[in-house]
């Protein structure tokens, strides 16, 4: 239950979310909520629909059932239109022929955010003018995380964000996560390795893939 005086519901509320792919039920009536400053660790076996859930909450695909509701502080009203959301998938989405700074410049410009501050947060400022094709896998992943920072989004949807990161980068990433939550940000994260995310709630997805027709 939210502690905000103008809002009796959590910031984000997912009710009975279902997704069908082909003739298989991938997500079956999944319900959860996230409030300001909270983090959810999304777990489950391979094929349970973790990535599908993140993409659906991000608005990248429509659910086949259920609702995704956002609750406003000032009006107390709810709607299904998501506020600013940042999604990080398995691909880093950096064009190899552009420098790191060139790859991220448009996101910074559109959101009025500081490219230098984002690169400093992931320890990439010294590599800003290096073509993306020359970056290591870990550096590319940190570049993708910098793009998330540049969106200034309230909700981060992070699918295996630590892919390619070494121990030092994971520790620095933990600081980035903590700052986002301290500022009232929310996150839903999938990961196969431990991340520095204290006081995290778990949402376990069972293996579905139930045949709808036989």
């Amino acid at each position: 239950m939210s502690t905000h005086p103008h809002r009796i519901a959590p910031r984000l509320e997912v009710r009975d979310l279902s997704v069908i792919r082909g003739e298989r039920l991938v997500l079956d009536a999944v319900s959860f909520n996230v409030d300001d400053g909270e983090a959810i660790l999304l777990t489950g076996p391979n094929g349970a629909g973790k990535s599908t859930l993140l993409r659906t909450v991000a608005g990248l695909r429509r659910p086949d059932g259920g609702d995704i509701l956002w609750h406003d502080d000032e009006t107390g009203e709810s709607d299904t239109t998501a506020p600013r959301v940042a999604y990080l998938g398995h691909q880093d989405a950096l064009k190899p022929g552009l420098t790191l700074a060139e790859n991220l410049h448009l996101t910074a410009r559109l959101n009025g955010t500081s490219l230098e501050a984002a690169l400093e947060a992931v320890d990439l400022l010294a590599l800003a003018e290096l073509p993306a094709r020359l970056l290591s896998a870990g550096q590319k992943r940190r570049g993708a995380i910098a793009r998330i920072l540049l969106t200034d989004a309230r909700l981060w949807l992070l699918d295996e964000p630590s892919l390619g990161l070494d121990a030092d980068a994971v520790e620095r990433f933990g600081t980035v996560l903590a700052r986002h939550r301290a500022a009232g940000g929310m996150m839903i994260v999938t990961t196969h390795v431990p991340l520095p995310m204290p006081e995290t709630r778990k949402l376990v997805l069972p293996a579905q893939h139930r045949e709808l027709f036989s």
Side-chain angles (χ1 to χ4, degrees), residues 162-209:
S162 62
L163 286 174
L165 300 186
D166 60 22
D168 289 340
V170 169
E171 182 177 356
R172 181 179 286 268
F173 183 47
T175 300
V176 169
L177 296 176
R179 286 176 180 169
H180 182 60
R181 294 177 67 183
M186 306 175 292
M187 61 189 68
I188 306 173
V189 184
T190 73
T191 181
H192 282 96
V193 299
L195 287 175
M197 293 172 54
E199 300 180 12
T200 302
R201 292 191 289 123
K202 282 188 178 182
L203 174 62
V204 181
L205 296 182
Q208 295 293 341
H209 290 272

Side-chain angles (χ1 to χ4, degrees), residues 103-190:
N103 269 285
L104 302 178
H105 173 74
L106 181 59
T107 304
R109 182 177 178 182
L110 289 175
N111 294 285
T113 46
S114 170
L115 177 57
E116 290 75 15
L119 290 175
E120 178 64 29
V122 296
D123 195 25
L124 284 179
L125 189 56
L127 303 180
E129 301 306 321
L130 195 67
R133 68 177 181 274
L134 300 181
L135 298 175
S136 69
Q139 289 166 344
K140 290 177 182 176
R141 197 57 170 172
R142 284 150 55 195
I145 292 170
R147 180 182 282 115
I148 296 295
L149 288 168
L150 290 170
T151 64
D152 196 28
R154 179 186 292 273
L155 174 64
W156 292 357
L157 303 169
L158 309 176
D159 198 352
E160 298 291 343
S162 62
L163 286 174
L165 300 186
D166 60 22
D168 289 340
V170 169
E171 182 177 356
R172 181 179 286 268
F173 183 47
T175 300
V176 169
L177 296 176
R179 286 176 180 169
H180 182 60
R181 294 177 67 183
M186 306 175 292
M187 61 189 68
I188 306 173
V189 184
T190 73

Side-chain angles (χ1 to χ4, degrees), residues 10-75:
R11 174 71 65 185
L12 169 66
E13 191 172 6
V14 175
R15 298 177 182 171
D16 297 325
L17 194 71
S18 297
V19 172
I20 298 168
R21 186 188 303 127
E23 296 183 351
R24 292 181 179 271
L25 185 64
V26 180
L27 296 173
D28 185 12
V30 175
S31 298
F32 65 94
N33 57 69
V34 194
D35 214 339
D36 296 346
E38 290 188 332
I40 286 184
L41 183 62
L42 189 59
T43 66
N46 290 338
K50 298 184 294 293
S51 295
T52 298
L53 178 58
L54 292 186
R55 289 178 57 83
T56 304
V57 175
L60 298 177
R61 67 152 296 152
R62 293 175 61 89
D64 295 291
D67 298 295
I68 301 171
L69 298 174
W70 297 87
H71 302 293
D72 186 81
D73 279 345
E74 298 302 323
T75 66

